[in-house]
Amino acid sequence: MAFSMDTLASNIRTRRRALDLSQSELAERAGLTPDLIWNYERANYTPGADKAYAIAEALGCTLDELCGFAPMREGA
C-alpha cells in the first residue's frame, strides 16, 4: 500500500472531530501551529515524520493508523 496524503489528511480531520478537538487544541497538544493543522487536514502540506508522530500521539493513535496502513482502533 502506498502512502496517500489524502488519506492522512482525512484521518487527521476525522480523528480530531471524533475527539471533539478544535484545530487549535490539536495543535497545542502536538506542539504545532493551528495553521499547520489546517494545511495538513487539507493535504496542502505533508508533515515530516516528527510532526506526523506528534499528531498521532496527540490523537491517541499510531502513525500507521493515522496514515491508513492499519485500521483505526475504536476509541484509540
Side-chain angles (χ1 to χ4, degrees):
M1 173 186 277
F3 173 77
S4 166
M5 188 55 210
D6 289 331
T7 298
L8 176 62
S10 176
N11 286 344
I12 292 170
R13 186 174 49 254
T14 300
R15 183 70 183 146
R16 177 182 60 77
R17 289 176 178 166
L19 293 172
D20 197 28
L21 294 173
S22 68
Q23 289 176 340
S24 294
E25 290 168 327
L26 174 55
E28 185 175 329
R29 285 184 179 195
L32 304 171
T33 66
D35 285 343
L36 276 177
I37 300 299
W38 186 89
N39 279 294
Y40 294 153
E41 287 188 359
R42 281 155 188 78
N44 293 335
Y45 300 155
T46 303
D50 58 334
K51 290 176 178 58
Y53 180 81
I55 293 168
E57 190 172 77
L59 293 173
C61 61
T62 68
L63 190 52
D64 280 348
E65 290 168 331
L66 197 61
C67 290
F69 297 131
M72 192 72 72
R73 293 169 287 141
E74 190 69 30

